[in-house]
Amino acid sequence: MSRFEMAEGGAVAFVAYRRDGNRMVLTHTEVPEAMAGQGTGSKLVRGVLDHLRSDDIGIVPRCDFVAGYIERHPEYRDLLVGPG
């Protein structure tokens, strides 16, 4: 499994993904309890989406957290591409 990670205080939050051509299928987001309630998941997803945008890579959100984030932040909807 490939993943983007954010470490803080010995804990690691991550967004798991798989590459499918010129798109990323974001499959799972996990934030350890020690990092919960601090906006860590949102910061991580925002960073991942900004990184993928800068590399001109579309996304397929298979993770409910990522899909929800995009729903709340429509400025990222342009990254959405077909099913993967």
Side-chain angles (χ1 to χ4, degrees):
M1 165 178 59
S2 298
R3 61 194 205 173
F4 295 98
E5 297 180 343
M6 176 189 278
E8 191 174 287
V12 178
F14 67 87
V15 175
Y17 69 89
R18 67 178 168 81
R19 184 96 188 217
D20 183 15
N22 196 35
R23 61 187 179 180
M24 289 283 192
V25 181
L26 304 177
T27 59
H28 179 70
T29 300
E30 190 165 314
V31 176
E33 192 171 324
M35 298 171 83
Q38 303 170 35
T40 301
S42 292
K43 287 184 231 175
L44 174 60
V45 169
R46 182 175 57 246
V48 168
L49 297 177
D50 288 344
H51 171 74
L52 295 175
R53 174 177 278 145
S54 72
D55 285 348
D56 199 28
I57 297 173
I59 65 154
V60 179
R62 293 279 187 239
C63 166
D64 289 340
F65 187 86
V66 172
Y69 184 88
I70 292 169
E71 185 65 30
R72 291 185 310 278
H73 298 88
E75 64 271 22
Y76 290 105
R77 288 186 186 153
D78 64 305
L79 294 174
L80 297 173
V81 295

